[in-house]
Amino acid sequence: PAVFTGLIEAKGRLQGRVTRGRGAKLTIECPFTDLVLGESIAVSGVCLTVAEIGKGTFVADASEETLARTTLGAVGLGGAVNLERALPAGGRLGGHIVSGHVDGVGALVRTAAIGQATSMTFSFPKALARFIAEKGSIAVSGISLTVNRVDDATFDVAIIPHTASETTLASLVPGDPVNLEVDMLARYVERMLRVGAADAPAGDGPWT
């Protein structure tokens, strides 16, 4: 499987959408000049495979589930998307490990200026609450961010000017949806705790 870092390389635009069965063929305008057929690109946090290459564009197939469970099904023609190519072998990991498999869709709740930066508050599905922790990592529309505050329904992140200008975050208004992928390590820890607790004899903790 492809691995990403959550460091956005470029912004692209949805140039075309053609229905194919219950899925769709998406044409993405992008600045990458050395694309390879079959390579993986995270499009606003969704891992897609390059099926065709055009002049300043690539085409990828999106399944019915991908369109329904992420923001890609609602992006209008001309809409901006964040782009990141998969991490090459031996590449530098600058953000955190991102798989490109979206866990749920949240929404921008509010923004507030904090000096030169911007605080952004996002909602998230209740099922993801156990994976989101203060000072932990989360990918928002493919962008690796650090959680500054979290409660039962929302979390806050601080956006520096560079991130705002180089991604789609600056164009969001309250209510706009975003793709969320929780930290992969948090998922594994939660799984280990759950399995350990289930296997432990009555009265014992998961690590005894």
Side-chain angles (χ1 to χ4, degrees):
V3 173
F4 304 91
T5 69
L7 299 183
I8 303 305
E9 297 179 72
K11 284 189 287 188
R13 294 193 177 277
L14 179 63
Q15 190 180 87
R17 179 192 282 112
V18 177
T19 300
R20 301 187 70 175
R22 294 185 176 181
K25 175 188 286 189
L26 305 179
T27 300
I28 309 293
E29 176 188 311
C30 76
F32 304 142
T33 59
D34 55 347
L35 292 175
V36 177
L37 288 175
E39 75 168 286
S40 298
I41 297 181
V43 179
S44 288
V46 183
C47 181
L48 298 179
T49 300
V50 175
E52 300 174 28
I53 300 171
K55 186 175 181 180
T57 65
F58 70 90
V59 174
D61 292 306
S63 68
E64 176 187 13
E65 182 176 11
T66 294
L67 297 175
R69 296 173 68 92
T70 74
T71 62
L72 291 187
V75 176
L77 293 182
V81 291
N82 298 316
L83 301 175
E84 182 193 355
R85 301 176 76 169
L87 182 69
R92 189 172 184 178
L93 181 61
H96 72 282
I97 298 174
V98 177
S99 69
H101 298 158
V102 173
D103 293 305
V105 174
L108 178 65
V109 176
R110 59 182 174 271
T111 63
I114 47 174
Q116 296 297 312
T118 301
S119 174
M120 304 187 81
T121 300
F122 293 96
S123 63
F124 56 84
K126 186 176 180 180
L128 301 186
R130 64 186 183 275
F131 301 112
I132 303 174
E134 187 173 320
K135 303 309 177 186
S137 297
I138 192 166
V140 177
S141 291
I143 307 159
S144 175
L145 298 171
T146 299
V147 177
N148 286 339
R149 182 205 63 84
V150 61
D151 59 27
D152 292 340
T154 65
F155 66 89
D156 294 352
V157 292
I159 308 300
I160 62 175
H162 175 78
T163 301
S165 65
E166 297 299 316
T167 72
T168 59
L169 290 180
S171 65
L172 295 178
V173 298
D176 280 350
V178 292
N179 294 320
L180 301 176
E181 181 185 333
V182 299
D183 189 353
M184 189 180 298
L185 295 178
R187 282 194 294 222
Y188 280 117
V189 169
E190 195 273 345
R191 175 64 176 167
M192 289 170 63
L193 291 171
R194 186 190 306 173
V195 172
D199 290 345
D204 289 341
W207 305 114
T208 57

Short mmCIF file of all heavy atoms in Angstrom, two decimals, residues 68-136:
data_model
loop_
_atom_site.label_atom_id
_atom_site.label_comp_id
_atom_site.label_asym_id
_atom_site.label_seq_id
_atom_site.Cartn_x
_atom_site.Cartn_y
_atom_site.Cartn_z
N ALA A 68 -18.96 8.26 -1.90
CA ALA A 68 -19.98 8.41 -0.86
C ALA A 68 -19.38 8.70 0.51
O ALA A 68 -19.98 9.42 1.32
CB ALA A 68 -20.84 7.15 -0.78
N ARG A 69 -18.17 8.17 0.78
CA ARG A 69 -17.60 8.25 2.13
C ARG A 69 -16.52 9.32 2.28
O ARG A 69 -15.91 9.44 3.34
CB ARG A 69 -17.05 6.89 2.53
CG ARG A 69 -18.13 5.81 2.62
CD ARG A 69 -17.51 4.44 2.86
NE ARG A 69 -16.90 4.36 4.17
CZ ARG A 69 -17.53 3.92 5.27
NH1 ARG A 69 -18.80 3.57 5.20
NH2 ARG A 69 -16.91 3.84 6.42
N THR A 70 -16.27 10.08 1.22
CA THR A 70 -15.30 11.18 1.27
C THR A 70 -15.91 12.42 0.65
O THR A 70 -17.06 12.39 0.18
CB THR A 70 -14.00 10.82 0.52
OG1 THR A 70 -14.25 10.88 -0.90
CG2 THR A 70 -13.51 9.42 0.86
N THR A 71 -15.15 13.48 0.61
CA THR A 71 -15.66 14.73 0.01
C THR A 71 -15.58 14.73 -1.51
O THR A 71 -16.12 15.64 -2.15
CB THR A 71 -14.87 15.94 0.54
OG1 THR A 71 -13.49 15.81 0.16
CG2 THR A 71 -14.97 16.04 2.04
N LEU A 72 -14.92 13.73 -2.11
CA LEU A 72 -14.71 13.77 -3.55
C LEU A 72 -16.01 13.71 -4.35
O LEU A 72 -16.08 14.25 -5.45
CB LEU A 72 -13.79 12.63 -3.99
CG LEU A 72 -12.33 12.71 -3.55
CD1 LEU A 72 -11.51 11.61 -4.19
CD2 LEU A 72 -11.73 14.08 -3.89
N GLY A 73 -17.02 13.09 -3.79
CA GLY A 73 -18.29 13.02 -4.51
C GLY A 73 -19.01 14.35 -4.59
O GLY A 73 -19.90 14.52 -5.42
N ALA A 74 -18.63 15.29 -3.73
CA ALA A 74 -19.32 16.58 -3.69
C ALA A 74 -18.50 17.73 -4.27
O ALA A 74 -19.01 18.84 -4.39
CB ALA A 74 -19.69 16.91 -2.24
N VAL A 75 -17.26 17.49 -4.64
CA VAL A 75 -16.43 18.57 -5.21
C VAL A 75 -16.99 18.96 -6.57
O VAL A 75 -17.20 18.12 -7.44
CB VAL A 75 -14.97 18.12 -5.36
CG1 VAL A 75 -14.14 19.21 -6.04
CG2 VAL A 75 -14.37 17.79 -4.00
N GLY A 76 -17.23 20.24 -6.76
CA GLY A 76 -17.74 20.71 -8.04
C GLY A 76 -16.64 20.86 -9.06
O GLY A 76 -15.45 20.93 -8.71
N LEU A 77 -17.00 20.90 -10.33
CA LEU A 77 -16.00 21.10 -11.37
C LEU A 77 -15.30 22.43 -11.15
O LEU A 77 -15.93 23.45 -10.89
CB LEU A 77 -16.66 21.07 -12.75
CG LEU A 77 -17.25 19.73 -13.19
CD1 LEU A 77 -17.83 19.83 -14.59
CD2 LEU A 77 -16.20 18.63 -13.13
N GLY A 78 -13.98 22.40 -11.21
CA GLY A 78 -13.19 23.58 -10.92
C GLY A 78 -12.80 23.70 -9.46
O GLY A 78 -12.02 24.57 -9.09
N GLY A 79 -13.34 22.81 -8.62
CA GLY A 79 -13.04 22.84 -7.19
C GLY A 79 -11.60 22.45 -6.91
O GLY A 79 -11.03 21.58 -7.57
N ALA A 80 -11.00 23.11 -5.92
CA ALA A 80 -9.61 22.87 -5.58
C ALA A 80 -9.46 21.61 -4.73
O ALA A 80 -10.32 21.29 -3.90
CB ALA A 80 -9.03 24.06 -4.83
N VAL A 81 -8.35 20.90 -4.94
CA VAL A 81 -8.02 19.71 -4.16
C VAL A 81 -6.54 19.76 -3.79
O VAL A 81 -5.73 20.36 -4.49
CB VAL A 81 -8.32 18.41 -4.95
CG1 VAL A 81 -9.81 18.21 -5.13
CG2 VAL A 81 -7.61 18.41 -6.30
N ASN A 82 -6.20 19.13 -2.67
CA ASN A 82 -4.81 19.01 -2.25
C ASN A 82 -4.19 17.77 -2.87
O ASN A 82 -4.84 16.72 -2.93
CB ASN A 82 -4.74 18.91 -0.72
CG ASN A 82 -5.28 20.14 -0.03
OD1 ASN A 82 -4.99 21.26 -0.42
ND2 ASN A 82 -6.08 19.93 1.01
N LEU A 83 -2.94 17.90 -3.31
CA LEU A 83 -2.27 16.78 -3.98
C LEU A 83 -0.95 16.43 -3.29
O LEU A 83 -0.16 17.32 -2.96
CB LEU A 83 -1.98 17.13 -5.44
CG LEU A 83 -3.19 17.49 -6.32
CD1 LEU A 83 -2.71 17.92 -7.70
CD2 LEU A 83 -4.15 16.31 -6.42
N GLU A 84 -0.74 15.13 -3.10
CA GLU A 84 0.54 14.64 -2.60
C GLU A 84 0.85 13.30 -3.25
O GLU A 84 0.00 12.40 -3.25
CB GLU A 84 0.53 14.46 -1.08
CG GLU A 84 1.88 14.00 -0.54
CD GLU A 84 1.86 13.51 0.90
OE1 GLU A 84 0.81 13.61 1.55
OE2 GLU A 84 2.91 13.02 1.36
N ARG A 85 2.04 13.18 -3.80
CA ARG A 85 2.46 11.90 -4.37
C ARG A 85 2.93 10.99 -3.24
O ARG A 85 3.34 11.44 -2.17
CB ARG A 85 3.58 12.13 -5.39
CG ARG A 85 3.14 13.03 -6.52
CD ARG A 85 4.25 13.33 -7.50
NE ARG A 85 4.52 12.21 -8.37
CZ ARG A 85 5.30 12.28 -9.45
NH1 ARG A 85 5.90 13.42 -9.76
NH2 ARG A 85 5.50 11.23 -10.21
N ALA A 86 2.87 9.67 -3.48
CA ALA A 86 3.26 8.71 -2.46
C ALA A 86 4.74 8.88 -2.10
O ALA A 86 5.57 9.28 -2.93
CB ALA A 86 3.01 7.29 -2.96
N LEU A 87 5.05 8.60 -0.85
CA LEU A 87 6.42 8.71 -0.35
C LEU A 87 7.29 7.66 -1.03
O LEU A 87 6.99 6.46 -0.97
CB LEU A 87 6.45 8.49 1.16
CG LEU A 87 7.79 8.61 1.87
CD1 LEU A 87 8.26 10.06 1.86
CD2 LEU A 87 7.66 8.11 3.32
N PRO A 88 8.39 8.07 -1.71
CA PRO A 88 9.26 7.09 -2.34
C PRO A 88 10.08 6.33 -1.30
O PRO A 88 10.27 6.81 -0.17
CB PRO A 88 10.18 7.95 -3.23
CG PRO A 88 10.22 9.27 -2.53
CD PRO A 88 8.86 9.45 -1.92
N ALA A 89 10.57 5.16 -1.67
CA ALA A 89 11.41 4.38 -0.76
C ALA A 89 12.62 5.21 -0.34
O ALA A 89 13.31 5.79 -1.18
CB ALA A 89 11.87 3.09 -1.43
N GLY A 90 12.86 5.31 0.95
CA GLY A 90 13.97 6.10 1.45
C GLY A 90 13.68 7.58 1.53
O GLY A 90 14.57 8.36 1.89
N GLY A 91 12.45 7.97 1.20
CA GLY A 91 12.08 9.39 1.25
C GLY A 91 12.00 9.90 2.67
O GLY A 91 11.86 9.14 3.63
N ARG A 92 12.04 11.21 2.80
CA ARG A 92 12.03 11.85 4.11
C ARG A 92 10.60 12.01 4.60
O ARG A 92 9.75 12.54 3.89
CB ARG A 92 12.72 13.21 4.02
CG ARG A 92 12.96 13.88 5.36
CD ARG A 92 13.80 15.12 5.18
NE ARG A 92 14.13 15.75 6.45
CZ ARG A 92 14.90 16.83 6.55
NH1 ARG A 92 15.40 17.39 5.45
NH2 ARG A 92 15.16 17.34 7.73
N LEU A 93 10.34 11.53 5.83
CA LEU A 93 9.02 11.64 6.42
C LEU A 93 8.95 12.93 7.21
O LEU A 93 9.47 13.04 8.32
CB LEU A 93 8.75 10.44 7.34
CG LEU A 93 7.38 10.39 8.02
CD1 LEU A 93 6.26 10.33 6.98
CD2 LEU A 93 7.30 9.19 8.95
N GLY A 94 8.29 13.96 6.64
CA GLY A 94 8.26 15.26 7.28
C GLY A 94 7.01 15.51 8.10
O GLY A 94 7.02 16.34 9.00
N GLY A 95 5.91 14.82 7.81
CA GLY A 95 4.67 15.00 8.56
C GLY A 95 4.46 13.82 9.49
O GLY A 95 5.21 13.62 10.44
N HIS A 96 3.43 13.01 9.21
CA HIS A 96 3.28 11.74 9.91
C HIS A 96 2.79 10.72 8.88
O HIS A 96 2.52 11.07 7.73
CB HIS A 96 2.31 11.87 11.09
CG HIS A 96 0.85 12.03 10.73
ND1 HIS A 96 0.31 13.22 10.28
CD2 HIS A 96 -0.18 11.15 10.76
CE1 HIS A 96 -0.99 13.06 10.06
NE2 HIS A 96 -1.30 11.82 10.32
N ILE A 97 2.74 9.46 9.26
CA ILE A 97 2.37 8.41 8.31
C ILE A 97 0.88 8.51 7.99
O ILE A 97 0.03 8.41 8.89
CB ILE A 97 2.70 7.02 8.86
CG1 ILE A 97 4.21 6.89 9.08
CG2 ILE A 97 2.20 5.93 7.92
CD1 ILE A 97 4.62 5.60 9.75
N VAL A 98 0.57 8.71 6.72
CA VAL A 98 -0.80 8.85 6.24
C VAL A 98 -1.03 7.79 5.17
O VAL A 98 -0.21 7.62 4.27
CB VAL A 98 -1.04 10.26 5.67
CG1 VAL A 98 -2.45 10.39 5.10
CG2 VAL A 98 -0.80 11.32 6.74
N SER A 99 -2.14 7.08 5.24
CA SER A 99 -2.40 5.98 4.31
C SER A 99 -3.24 6.38 3.11
O SER A 99 -3.26 5.68 2.10
CB SER A 99 -3.09 4.82 5.04
OG SER A 99 -4.41 5.19 5.40
N GLY A 100 -3.96 7.50 3.23
CA GLY A 100 -4.86 7.88 2.14
C GLY A 100 -6.20 7.16 2.21
O GLY A 100 -6.98 7.20 1.26
N HIS A 101 -6.48 6.50 3.35
CA HIS A 101 -7.76 5.84 3.57
C HIS A 101 -8.56 6.69 4.56
O HIS A 101 -8.23 6.72 5.75
CB HIS A 101 -7.56 4.42 4.11
CG HIS A 101 -6.82 3.54 3.15
ND1 HIS A 101 -6.14 2.42 3.55
CD2 HIS A 101 -6.62 3.64 1.82
CE1 HIS A 101 -5.57 1.85 2.50
NE2 HIS A 101 -5.85 2.59 1.44
N VAL A 102 -9.56 7.37 4.09
CA VAL A 102 -10.32 8.32 4.90
C VAL A 102 -11.18 7.58 5.92
O VAL A 102 -11.88 6.62 5.60
CB VAL A 102 -11.20 9.20 4.00
CG1 VAL A 102 -12.12 10.09 4.83
CG2 VAL A 102 -10.30 10.06 3.11
N ASP A 103 -11.11 8.04 7.19
CA ASP A 103 -11.87 7.41 8.27
C ASP A 103 -13.25 8.02 8.44
O ASP A 103 -14.15 7.38 9.00
CB ASP A 103 -11.10 7.55 9.60
CG ASP A 103 -9.82 6.75 9.60
OD1 ASP A 103 -9.88 5.54 9.35
OD2 ASP A 103 -8.75 7.34 9.83
N GLY A 104 -13.42 9.24 7.99
CA GLY A 104 -14.71 9.89 8.13
C GLY A 104 -14.66 11.31 7.60
O GLY A 104 -13.59 11.83 7.30
N VAL A 105 -15.81 11.92 7.49
CA VAL A 105 -15.91 13.30 7.01
C VAL A 105 -16.33 14.20 8.17
O VAL A 105 -17.30 13.91 8.88
CB VAL A 105 -16.93 13.42 5.86
CG1 VAL A 105 -17.14 14.87 5.47
CG2 VAL A 105 -16.43 12.62 4.66
N GLY A 106 -15.55 15.27 8.38
CA GLY A 106 -15.89 16.27 9.38
C GLY A 106 -16.27 17.56 8.67
O GLY A 106 -16.48 17.57 7.45
N ALA A 107 -16.35 18.64 9.42
CA ALA A 107 -16.71 19.93 8.82
C ALA A 107 -16.06 21.06 9.61
O ALA A 107 -15.83 20.93 10.82
CB ALA A 107 -18.22 20.12 8.80
N LEU A 108 -15.76 22.15 8.92
CA LEU A 108 -15.24 23.32 9.60
C LEU A 108 -16.35 23.95 10.44
O LEU A 108 -17.45 24.18 9.95
CB LEU A 108 -14.72 24.34 8.58
CG LEU A 108 -14.20 25.66 9.18
CD1 LEU A 108 -12.96 25.41 10.03
CD2 LEU A 108 -13.89 26.66 8.07
N VAL A 109 -16.04 24.21 11.70
CA VAL A 109 -17.01 24.82 12.61
C VAL A 109 -16.79 26.33 12.70
O VAL A 109 -17.71 27.12 12.57
CB VAL A 109 -16.91 24.19 14.01
CG1 VAL A 109 -17.86 24.89 15.00
CG2 VAL A 109 -17.22 22.70 13.94
N ARG A 110 -15.53 26.72 12.92
CA ARG A 110 -15.22 28.15 13.04
C ARG A 110 -13.73 28.37 12.87
O ARG A 110 -12.93 27.43 12.96
CB ARG A 110 -15.66 28.70 14.40
CG ARG A 110 -15.01 28.01 15.58
CD ARG A 110 -15.52 28.55 16.92
NE ARG A 110 -14.99 27.76 18.04
CZ ARG A 110 -15.59 26.69 18.53
NH1 ARG A 110 -16.74 26.29 18.01
NH2 ARG A 110 -15.06 26.02 19.53
N THR A 111 -13.35 29.61 12.64
CA THR A 111 -11.94 30.00 12.57
C THR A 111 -11.73 31.20 13.48
O THR A 111 -12.66 31.95 13.78
CB THR A 111 -11.51 30.37 11.14
OG1 THR A 111 -12.27 31.52 10.72
CG2 THR A 111 -11.74 29.22 10.17
N ALA A 112 -10.48 31.38 13.93
CA ALA A 112 -10.14 32.52 14.77
C ALA A 112 -8.66 32.84 14.56
O ALA A 112 -7.84 31.94 14.42
CB ALA A 112 -10.41 32.22 16.24
N ALA A 113 -8.34 34.13 14.51
CA ALA A 113 -6.95 34.55 14.35
C ALA A 113 -6.21 34.38 15.67
O ALA A 113 -6.73 34.73 16.73
CB ALA A 113 -6.89 36.00 13.89
N ILE A 114 -4.99 33.83 15.58
CA ILE A 114 -4.11 33.72 16.75
C ILE A 114 -2.73 34.23 16.31
O ILE A 114 -1.88 33.45 15.90
CB ILE A 114 -4.04 32.29 17.32
CG1 ILE A 114 -3.83 31.25 16.21
CG2 ILE A 114 -5.29 31.96 18.11
CD1 ILE A 114 -3.61 29.84 16.73
N GLY A 115 -2.55 35.55 16.40
CA GLY A 115 -1.33 36.15 15.88
C GLY A 115 -1.31 36.04 14.37
O GLY A 115 -2.28 36.37 13.69
N GLN A 116 -0.20 35.55 13.82
CA GLN A 116 -0.09 35.36 12.37
C GLN A 116 -0.76 34.09 11.89
O GLN A 116 -0.95 33.90 10.69
CB GLN A 116 1.40 35.34 11.98
CG GLN A 116 2.13 36.66 12.24
CD GLN A 116 1.56 37.79 11.42
OE1 GLN A 116 1.36 37.65 10.21
NE2 GLN A 116 1.29 38.93 12.06
N ALA A 117 -1.08 33.20 12.82
CA ALA A 117 -1.69 31.92 12.46
C ALA A 117 -3.21 32.00 12.56
O ALA A 117 -3.79 33.02 12.97
CB ALA A 117 -1.15 30.82 13.36
N THR A 118 -3.85 30.91 12.19
CA THR A 118 -5.31 30.81 12.27
C THR A 118 -5.68 29.54 13.00
O THR A 118 -5.18 28.46 12.68
CB THR A 118 -5.94 30.77 10.86
OG1 THR A 118 -5.58 31.95 10.15
CG2 THR A 118 -7.46 30.68 10.95
N SER A 119 -6.54 29.66 14.00
CA SER A 119 -7.08 28.48 14.68
C SER A 119 -8.31 28.03 13.92
O SER A 119 -9.20 28.84 13.61
CB SER A 119 -7.43 28.81 16.12
OG SER A 119 -8.08 27.70 16.73
N MET A 120 -8.37 26.74 13.59
CA MET A 120 -9.53 26.18 12.89
C MET A 120 -10.11 25.07 13.73
O MET A 120 -9.38 24.19 14.22
CB MET A 120 -9.13 25.67 11.50
CG MET A 120 -8.46 26.71 10.63
SD MET A 120 -8.16 26.15 8.91
CE MET A 120 -9.79 26.41 8.18
N THR A 121 -11.41 25.11 13.92
CA THR A 121 -12.12 24.10 14.69
C THR A 121 -12.94 23.24 13.74
O THR A 121 -13.70 23.76 12.92
CB THR A 121 -13.05 24.75 15.73
OG1 THR A 121 -12.28 25.55 16.61
CG2 THR A 121 -13.79 23.69 16.53
N PHE A 122 -12.76 21.92 13.85
CA PHE A 122 -13.47 20.98 12.99
C PHE A 122 -14.30 20.02 13.83
O PHE A 122 -13.89 19.61 14.92
CB PHE A 122 -12.49 20.16 12.15
CG PHE A 122 -11.72 20.95 11.14
CD1 PHE A 122 -10.45 21.43 11.44
CD2 PHE A 122 -12.25 21.22 9.89
CE1 PHE A 122 -9.73 22.16 10.51
CE2 PHE A 122 -11.54 21.96 8.96
CZ PHE A 122 -10.28 22.43 9.27
N SER A 123 -15.44 19.63 13.31
CA SER A 123 -16.23 18.56 13.92
C SER A 123 -15.74 17.23 13.38
O SER A 123 -15.03 17.17 12.36
CB SER A 123 -17.71 18.74 13.59
OG SER A 123 -17.93 18.63 12.18
N PHE A 124 -16.10 16.15 14.07
CA PHE A 124 -15.72 14.82 13.59
C PHE A 124 -16.80 13.80 13.97
O PHE A 124 -17.55 14.02 14.94
CB PHE A 124 -14.36 14.39 14.17
CG PHE A 124 -14.28 14.41 15.68
CD1 PHE A 124 -14.73 13.32 16.43
CD2 PHE A 124 -13.76 15.49 16.35
CE1 PHE A 124 -14.66 13.32 17.81
CE2 PHE A 124 -13.67 15.51 17.74
CZ PHE A 124 -14.13 14.42 18.48
N PRO A 125 -16.89 12.68 13.24
CA PRO A 125 -17.85 11.64 13.59
C PRO A 125 -17.54 11.07 14.97
O PRO A 125 -16.38 10.90 15.34
CB PRO A 125 -17.66 10.59 12.50
CG PRO A 125 -17.05 11.33 11.36
CD PRO A 125 -16.18 12.37 11.99
N LYS A 126 -18.58 10.76 15.72
CA LYS A 126 -18.41 10.26 17.09
C LYS A 126 -17.51 9.03 17.16
O LYS A 126 -16.75 8.84 18.12
CB LYS A 126 -19.78 9.94 17.68
CG LYS A 126 -19.76 9.56 19.15
CD LYS A 126 -21.17 9.35 19.68
CE LYS A 126 -21.15 8.97 21.16
NZ LYS A 126 -22.53 8.77 21.70
N ALA A 127 -17.56 8.18 16.14
CA ALA A 127 -16.79 6.95 16.15
C ALA A 127 -15.28 7.19 16.16
O ALA A 127 -14.51 6.30 16.52
CB ALA A 127 -17.16 6.09 14.93
N LEU A 128 -14.85 8.39 15.77
CA LEU A 128 -13.42 8.69 15.72
C LEU A 128 -12.89 9.30 17.01
O LEU A 128 -11.69 9.51 17.16
CB LEU A 128 -13.12 9.66 14.56
CG LEU A 128 -13.49 9.19 13.16
CD1 LEU A 128 -13.00 10.20 12.13
CD2 LEU A 128 -12.94 7.81 12.87
N ALA A 129 -13.77 9.55 17.99
CA ALA A 129 -13.38 10.26 19.21
C ALA A 129 -12.21 9.58 19.93
O ALA A 129 -11.30 10.24 20.43
CB ALA A 129 -14.58 10.40 20.14
N ARG A 130 -12.21 8.25 19.99
CA ARG A 130 -11.18 7.54 20.75
C ARG A 130 -9.81 7.60 20.09
O ARG A 130 -8.81 7.23 20.69
CB ARG A 130 -11.59 6.09 20.97
CG ARG A 130 -11.73 5.24 19.70
CD ARG A 130 -12.30 3.87 20.06
NE ARG A 130 -12.40 2.97 18.93
CZ ARG A 130 -13.43 2.93 18.10
NH1 ARG A 130 -14.42 3.78 18.26
NH2 ARG A 130 -13.46 2.06 17.10
N PHE A 131 -9.75 8.07 18.83
CA PHE A 131 -8.47 8.13 18.12
C PHE A 131 -7.86 9.52 18.07
O PHE A 131 -6.75 9.70 17.57
CB PHE A 131 -8.65 7.65 16.67
CG PHE A 131 -9.18 6.24 16.55
CD1 PHE A 131 -10.44 6.01 16.05
CD2 PHE A 131 -8.40 5.16 16.92
CE1 PHE A 131 -10.93 4.72 15.92
CE2 PHE A 131 -8.87 3.87 16.81
CZ PHE A 131 -10.15 3.64 16.31
N ILE A 132 -8.57 10.53 18.54
CA ILE A 132 -8.11 11.91 18.42
C ILE A 132 -7.68 12.40 19.80
O ILE A 132 -8.48 12.42 20.74
CB ILE A 132 -9.21 12.82 17.85
CG1 ILE A 132 -9.67 12.29 16.48
CG2 ILE A 132 -8.70 14.26 17.71
CD1 ILE A 132 -10.85 13.03 15.89
N ALA A 133 -6.40 12.76 19.92
CA ALA A 133 -5.85 13.16 21.22
C ALA A 133 -5.12 14.49 21.10
O ALA A 133 -4.53 14.80 20.06
CB ALA A 133 -4.90 12.09 21.74
N GLU A 134 -5.15 15.25 22.18
CA GLU A 134 -4.40 16.51 22.22
C GLU A 134 -2.92 16.25 21.98
O GLU A 134 -2.33 15.33 22.54
CB GLU A 134 -4.60 17.19 23.59
CG GLU A 134 -4.00 18.57 23.68
CD GLU A 134 -4.35 19.26 24.98
OE1 GLU A 134 -5.53 19.13 25.42
OE2 GLU A 134 -3.48 19.92 25.56
N LYS A 135 -2.33 17.04 21.08
CA LYS A 135 -0.93 16.95 20.64
C LYS A 135 -0.67 15.74 19.75
O LYS A 135 0.47 15.48 19.37
CB LYS A 135 0.04 16.95 21.82
CG LYS A 135 -0.10 18.18 22.72
CD LYS A 135 -0.07 19.48 21.93
CE LYS A 135 -0.29 20.69 22.83
NZ LYS A 135 -0.41 21.96 22.05
N GLY A 136 -1.72 15.00 19.40
CA GLY A 136 -1.58 13.92 18.45
C GLY A 136 -1.71 14.44 17.03
O GLY A 136 -1.97 15.63 16.80
#
